[in-house]
Amino acid sequence: MNGFQSGLELVINNNPADYFASEIPSVGVKVLIHHPYKFPDLSLPSHIFEMNTNNLLGINPEMITATERLKSMPVRNRKCLFPSEKKLNMFQRYTRRGCLMECRLAMTLKVCKCVPFDLHSQSYSYGSLKVCGLEDLSCLNHNRDAIFNITHLKHAELFQDDKCNCPNNCEDFTYPLETSRGILDASFTTNPSMIFSNLHMENQTIIRIFFSDLLGIKYRRDVSFPWHSLMGNYGGILGFFTGFSLTSVVEIFYTTFIRRRFLRVVAKPSVSSKTLPTIRFHPKLSYY
């Protein structure tokens, strides 16, 4: 089913009196929609929903698949990885975001000798680690660019062992979103199935998450020009402009090498061409 009547409905109490040290100067809810195998980091698309609003969040899933012909290509040519082609320490399947997360974790360990609290439960494969506390905030803030900037991570001297080499995924899922909102006011609603019908609506945020359509979009990633298509394409272009074809290649090769050599062999004399001596006869008259 699709439509907001069949989706997930959330009623969130913002409790503005409990806000302190907020990174975003706003009271509301930040929502991230992502694939289960992707870590919800700050680089994911996000939406902020204000307090005392009614919000509709429509999802239009998109899927990217890859063909076997692409999988047979070397990684250096296709420049992407399949889930089983690279092993990660904290995640069961390879994803680019998971790879970058492990890279940033390793950089944080090297620079500040601790791990962020939100990654501690994921980092047991690294052994017993210290959770970053208030005394480590100055170190984390001072090295923020070195930890989170992808350009710095790629050139870090620590990761010459390919840890921070994180190509894109050959197959992926994305969730483009459509949002709309309105002022929250349940005074005139006629829908008795709403879960907030008997709730006090002060300082609340309502979010309905649903699929916008019954169908999704599927993309296929494939090799644009295999060798035989490339050869046929170039042959067609040359043939269109110059009358060139594979038959012309054979004729040129035959005329240049084979035919000339054959004529040279045929024209060669079978008898030696040495000069023969000249014999002269002098007739003598006799009288009888």
Side-chain angles (χ1 to χ4, degrees):
M1 297 178 64
N2 64 313
F4 74 92
Q5 297 91 345
S6 60
L8 174 65
E9 187 173 10
L10 304 174
V11 178
I12 302 173
N13 183 8
N14 293 277
N15 194 9
D18 193 43
Y19 272 66
F20 68 94
S22 176
E23 183 179 358
I24 300 175
S26 177
V27 178
V29 181
K30 186 177 182 180
V31 177
L32 305 174
I33 304 295
H34 61 90
H35 192 269
Y37 284 102
K38 290 183 179 180
F39 189 84
D41 59 1
L42 298 178
S43 61
L44 283 170
S46 61
H47 292 266
I48 297 178
F49 299 103
E50 303 172 359
M51 186 172 60
N52 296 322
T53 56
N54 190 4
N55 305 273
L56 302 180
L57 183 59
I59 302 175
N60 300 291
E62 295 180 355
M63 179 181 180
I64 301 176
T65 61
T67 62
E68 290 296 328
R69 186 163 51 182
L70 180 67
K71 193 172 184 178
S72 62
M73 291 181 60
V75 176
R76 65 178 181 274
N77 293 336
R78 54 179 154 95
K79 299 180 181 179
C80 64
L81 290 179
F82 287 88
S84 61
E85 289 183 331
K86 185 174 182 178
K87 184 175 176 56
L88 302 179
N89 294 325
M90 300 190 303
F91 302 94
Q92 295 180 358
R93 300 177 58 183
Y94 171 82
T95 61
R96 184 173 185 270
R97 295 185 186 276
C99 178
L100 291 175
M101 183 59 60
E102 290 192 358
C103 178
R104 294 185 177 113
L105 177 62
M107 176 64 79
T108 307
L109 281 173
K110 176 181 180 294
V111 175
C112 298
K113 311 301 181 183
C114 65
V115 295
F117 71 93
D118 57 335
L119 295 178
H120 185 259
S121 61
Q122 302 286 340
S123 57
Y124 289 126
S125 58
Y126 289 90
S128 178
L129 302 175
K130 174 190 173 184
V131 179
C132 296
L134 294 176
E135 67 276 7
D136 302 307
L137 289 180
S138 59
C139 177
L140 294 173
N141 188 51
H142 179 73
N143 298 282
R144 182 182 181 89
D145 289 339
I147 295 174
F148 290 97
N149 193 311
I150 297 178
T151 304
H152 291 173
L153 292 175
K154 286 182 178 179
H155 296 86
E157 295 181 359
L158 175 66
F159 305 120
Q160 299 299 325
D161 58 347
D162 205 44
K163 179 179 287 293
C164 285
N165 181 21
C166 303
N168 290 324
N169 298 87
C170 295
E171 298 179 330
D172 200 2
F173 288 89
T174 57
Y175 302 95
L177 305 177
E178 297 177 355
T179 60
S180 58
R181 69 184 61 187
I183 298 175
L184 180 60
D185 188 357
S187 303
F188 306 101
T189 182
T190 59
N191 191 349
S193 62
M194 297 298 182
I195 63 174
F196 56 85
S197 57
N198 297 323
L199 297 177
H200 183 58
M201 289 290 101
E202 184 179 0
N203 299 330
Q204 306 286 338
T205 299
I206 296 178
I207 306 175
R208 295 186 181 90
I209 304 174
F210 57 92
F211 289 105
S212 300
D213 200 348
L214 292 173
L215 302 176
I217 300 177
K218 182 178 180 180
Y219 298 96
R220 184 180 65 182
R221 184 172 288 168
D222 197 359
V223 181
S224 298
F225 289 98
W227 65 270
H228 47 81
S229 298
L230 192 63
M231 185 173 62
N233 189 26
Y234 280 117
I237 294 175
L238 292 174
F240 179 77
F241 287 102
T242 64
F244 187 83
S245 64
L246 292 178
T247 306
S248 302
V249 176
V250 177
E251 291 177 350
I252 293 173
F253 180 79
Y254 173 76
T255 305
T256 306
F257 298 100
I258 300 178
R259 185 172 182 272
R260 181 176 297 179
R261 186 175 181 85
F262 177 76
L263 292 177
R264 187 179 302 170
V265 171
V266 171
K268 185 176 181 181
S270 58
V271 182
S272 177
S273 59
K274 294 181 180 180
T275 304
L276 298 176
T278 304
I279 302 175
R280 296 184 178 181
F281 296 92
H282 299 282
K284 183 178 180 181
L285 298 176
S286 301
Y287 299 95
Y288 295 97

